[in-house]
Amino acid sequence: MKQLLLLTLLFMITTAGLTIDFGQDKAGDTWRIVNDGVMGGLSKSEIQLTNNSIQFTGAVSLENNGGFASMRTLIIKGALSACKIMTIRYKSNSTDRTFGLSLKNSQQYYIPYYKHTFSPKTTEWETLTVNLSDFKHYRISEVIGNDMPITALEDIYNMAVIISDKKAGDFNIEIDYIKFE
């Protein structure tokens, strides 16, 4: 119950959706790092909340069956059920990398989830808006289906920003907000 109250206070939840504003609302306190070290990998990452954003930085290693770094949070189950689009405002110097925003109804890595991938086109601020129905169905970083059914949003309670593009090396992404409407 305490976790639910904290999530409600940190995220702007309305009947129209969910806004995670890292700058204005300082909504980064519930995010945590999960890297491939949970499976023996050697990738490293960290998050830092700034005055206007959250910075997710690190280095992906492909050694020891590694290959991903992520920052994750829990959201209130059902908070996305009325949503149709996701908007993320971000910037990154990693224009040769691919990031993903994943939505899950489980914390187990082997349970299928939904993800949209994107690659920064510039080092300046970008705003990306995507239909939630365009998120793809994944299992362990492999696409297993197209087009997320909107009914799946009723069960989502776990969200992650992840880099798992099968490339070793440094990465960074700075996020102002993630909005679901």
Side-chain angles (χ1 to χ4, degrees):
M1 186 65 170
K2 185 177 178 183
Q3 178 77 7
L4 181 62
L5 179 59
L6 181 61
L7 290 172
T8 302
L9 293 174
L10 291 175
F11 301 148
M12 173 78 114
I13 300 172
T14 67
T15 55
L18 169 71
T19 298
I20 302 168
D21 190 324
F22 297 104
Q24 182 177 343
D25 299 332
K26 306 295 182 231
D29 290 343
T30 64
W31 290 76
R32 63 186 173 89
I33 294 294
V34 177
N35 295 330
D36 55 21
V38 298
M39 303 181 321
L42 302 173
S43 298
K44 302 287 184 203
S45 68
E46 63 183 24
I47 52 178
Q48 180 179 355
L49 195 58
T50 71
N51 286 337
N52 299 310
S53 63
I54 193 167
Q55 295 177 346
F56 176 43
T57 60
V60 172
S61 171
L62 303 178
E63 301 298 316
N64 270 10
N65 296 317
F68 79 88
S70 69
M71 61 178 224
R72 302 177 185 201
T73 192
L74 299 176
I75 61 173
I76 295 172
K77 185 175 178 180
L80 304 181
S81 61
C83 299
K84 304 264 189 271
I85 62 170
M86 181 275 302
T87 303
I88 182 171
R89 184 171 186 262
Y90 68 94
K91 71 178 179 176
S92 174
N93 292 332
S94 302
T95 56
D96 61 336
R97 304 302 299 263
T98 300
F99 295 90
L101 187 115
S102 65
L103 304 173
K104 301 179 176 193
N105 63 3
S106 173
Q107 293 192 61
Q108 304 299 318
Y109 75 91
Y110 54 85
I111 302 293
Y113 56 94
Y114 299 95
K115 181 170 74 172
H116 180 75
T117 60
F118 59 97
S119 297
K121 295 174 181 46
T122 175
T123 58
E124 300 299 318
W125 286 105
E126 297 179 58
T127 302
L128 171 68
T129 300
V130 178
N131 290 325
L132 289 172
S133 61
D134 291 338
F135 276 54
K136 303 299 181 210
H137 205 188
Y138 282 77
R139 178 182 294 127
I140 312 175
S141 293
E142 298 295 326
V143 176
I144 60 171
N146 291 323
D147 305 332
M148 176 173 61
I150 295 301
T151 56
L153 292 169
E154 296 169 9
D155 295 326
I156 300 297
Y157 70 88
N158 190 325
M159 180 186 324
V161 174
I162 188 166
I163 184 163
S164 59
D165 57 3
K166 298 180 174 54
K167 293 181 185 177
D170 295 342
F171 70 88
N172 70 65
I173 187 167
E174 183 174 356
I175 302 170
D176 179 7
Y177 64 81
I178 305 169
K179 184 184 298 187
F180 296 89
E181 301 176 279

